[in-house]
Amino acid sequence: MARKLQTNPRKSASQERSRATVDALLEATARVLMKEGYDRASTNRIAEVAGVSIGSLYQYFPSKEALVAAVIDRHTQEVSQLTRNALVKVATRPIEVAAREFVSVAIDAHRINPKLHGVLAEQIPRIGRLENIEANQQEAYALVRGYLEAHQDEIDVADLDLAAFICVTSVEALTHGAVLHNPELLAPNRVDRFIEEASRLILRYLSSGASDLRRR
């Protein structure tokens, strides 16, 4: 029988010293994952890199999987907060401004430690954090849909749920692919062009010209 993964922490860190220990463990987990990979990572190695005893590690985390799950959750929260802040900032701005900001912040979000992002993306199905990722995606859909609903006079799409899905998924795929697999597209002399072209894709779908394009 396959071993059931233990992916929840044993306890929360409530005191400053405890929080410092947990932070050190999560930072060490990230470093070990990036340098040595998931399969070669171990609780002993993580404790060594963190500079804490293996006993201290097990006070808070029952397994390597729980440590990786905590790193996934922390990284996901960072990315979500960045996206949330950007969408709030452009809530009242014209759609041309909002589209560029949305693409720019998606690049920034994927640039939050892109090597770690790539490693964690591979481990999410194994660790079982898909539900958290899906919840964050749903939040992004809702935020974008809310923006589109408030700016319906600027767009030419009727199904706002579909429009939000297309916008979020398209920008996510473009920026994920660029940051992780084609970083040369985001070099200082090319990143503005990337933002411009990705924004144009979204705007031509949403704007008044989109209906004419679909009829051709």
Side-chain angles (χ1 to χ4, degrees):
M1 182 180 294
R3 177 174 67 93
K4 183 178 180 180
L5 296 181
Q6 296 177 296
T7 60
N8 293 320
R10 290 189 189 278
K11 64 178 182 178
S12 300
S14 56
Q15 298 180 350
E16 184 176 350
R17 184 175 178 181
S18 299
R19 289 194 296 270
T21 298
V22 170
D23 286 343
L25 287 167
L26 297 186
E27 290 294 329
T29 302
R31 291 200 298 274
V32 171
L33 287 173
M34 289 187 289
K35 185 176 181 180
E36 302 177 25
Y38 178 86
D39 291 330
R40 295 184 63 187
S42 68
T43 51
N44 284 320
R45 177 63 177 145
I46 290 167
E48 177 187 1
V49 172
V52 304
S53 69
I54 190 67
S56 295
L57 183 154
Y58 282 126
Q59 283 184 30
Y60 298 99
F61 299 98
S63 64
K64 173 179 77 172
E65 291 82 8
L67 281 158
V68 175
V71 173
I72 290 171
D73 290 344
R74 175 177 287 194
H75 183 73
T76 301
Q77 288 167 10
E78 284 185 276
V79 171
S80 297
Q81 188 62 52
L82 185 67
T83 304
R84 191 180 303 118
N85 291 345
L87 290 173
V88 168
K89 185 173 75 173
V90 298
T92 60
R93 303 296 302 278
I95 193 167
E96 292 82 2
V97 175
R100 288 184 61 85
E101 181 67 18
F102 188 35
V103 175
S104 296
V105 77
I107 294 172
D108 291 342
H110 283 89
R111 277 176 167 168
I112 298 176
N113 206 333
K115 187 173 181 180
L116 177 63
H117 185 88
V119 173
L120 296 180
E122 294 176 357
Q123 299 310 322
I124 285 169
R126 185 190 307 202
I127 299 301
R129 279 303 189 263
L130 285 172
E131 68 277 7
N132 291 3
I133 302 301
E134 289 170 359
N136 287 322
Q137 286 179 332
Q138 291 300 323
E139 181 186 26
Y141 297 150
L143 288 168
V144 171
R145 191 196 186 286
Y147 174 87
L148 295 176
E149 186 172 9
H151 294 260
Q152 281 186 299
D153 59 330
E154 299 178 55
I155 64 176
D156 189 45
V157 289
D159 189 336
L160 297 184
D161 291 329
L162 178 59
F165 174 81
I166 289 174
C167 291
V168 172
T169 306
S170 299
V171 172
E172 164 66 19
L174 287 168
T175 54
H176 181 92
V179 171
L180 295 185
H181 306 300
N182 298 277
E184 70 280 0
L185 296 176
L186 303 177
N189 64 328
R190 300 184 72 185
V191 66
D192 286 344
R193 180 65 180 272
F194 181 94
I195 293 171
E196 184 66 32
E197 295 295 333
S199 301
R200 184 184 302 176
L201 183 151
I202 297 300
L203 289 170
R204 293 193 69 175
Y205 164 65
L206 292 173
S207 67
S208 59
S211 58
D212 291 335
L213 290 171
R214 286 193 291 268
R215 284 196 289 267
R216 290 177 186 174

